[in-house]
Amino acid sequence: MAGAAASLGTDPLTLADLLRVANAPGFDRWQEQIRRTGGCANPIRLQGSTVTRDAKTGDVLYSYSTEQEPGGCLRVACGNRRASRCPSCAWTYAGDVYHLIRAGITGDSRMGIPGEIRQHPGVFATLTAPSFGPVHNRPDTGRCRCGARHAEDDPALGTALDPER
């Protein structure tokens, strides 16, 4: 096992864990969930069930439960826009924003925006209210307002200094 792990550029424990997961029942569904989340670094793990019934008859039209999912949960992409938190979701967000702005300037028939908009392009304005005050950051001075020197991948970056405000 050690030789196989070394040839793959990993350690034996990681290789053993990969083989265990790949041979577990439900691996195909797990792999599908990972693919559907776009490789999200921190997927949200949903647990529970839902039942849709006909309002008049009470017949079950649809039901779903996470009990049969791998690990008993359904994985959904976190959707975080910060690359330091989740590179794949940030990449997806950046691509979506690009296409929205492009469609507003040049038009896009797939989005129902006519090409004539080129003569009168739309404005994509983002207004953000000061909702939670100062946040942890990495200013040029090196020290955040909280007094710490945050590492580039510090999870506190971008979070409120005083969450109670």
Side-chain angles (χ1 to χ4, degrees), residues 46-145:
L46 302 174
Q47 291 181 315
S49 61
T50 182
V51 176
T52 304
R53 296 182 183 274
D54 184 287
K56 293 181 181 176
T57 66
D59 292 342
V60 174
L61 301 174
Y62 174 79
S63 66
Y64 171 79
S65 173
T66 59
E67 287 181 12
Q68 301 305 315
E69 296 289 354
C73 64
L74 176 66
R75 289 159 185 83
V76 179
C78 70
N80 198 312
R81 296 179 281 182
R82 293 184 55 214
S84 62
R85 294 276 175 99
C86 184
S88 64
C89 286
W91 178 257
T92 300
Y93 175 77
D96 290 348
V97 169
Y98 168 80
H99 287 289
L100 284 171
I101 293 171
R102 187 188 143 279
I105 295 172
T106 65
D108 189 330
S109 60
R110 295 170 297 175
M111 294 184 187
I113 302 171
E116 293 82 36
I117 198 165
R118 290 179 183 162
Q119 282 74 38
H120 304 285
V123 175
F124 187 82
T126 302
L127 305 174
T128 305
S131 58
F132 49 79
V135 297
H136 292 277
N137 62 7
R138 298 184 67 214
D140 293 335
T141 61
R143 288 204 183 275
C144 175
R145 283 182 171 184

Side-chain angles (χ1 to χ4, degrees), residues 42 82-87 136-138 149-159:
N42 300 299
R82 293 184 55 214
S84 62
R85 294 276 175 99
C86 184
H136 292 277
N137 62 7
R138 298 184 67 214
R149 292 183 186 267
H150 295 292
E152 191 172 320
D153 61 347
D154 189 335
L157 289 174
T159 61

Side-chain angles (χ1 to χ4, degrees), residues 9-55:
T10 187
D11 63 279
L13 289 174
T14 302
L15 180 60
D17 199 36
L18 285 169
L19 292 172
R20 179 189 58 77
V21 169
N23 287 311
F27 173 73
D28 291 337
R29 177 65 179 146
W30 177 82
Q31 190 176 28
E32 181 185 330
Q33 284 187 22
I34 299 303
R35 190 176 296 114
R36 194 181 65 245
T37 64
C40 176
N42 300 299
I44 298 166
R45 291 168 171 83
L46 302 174
Q47 291 181 315
S49 61
T50 182
V51 176
T52 304
R53 296 182 183 274
D54 184 287

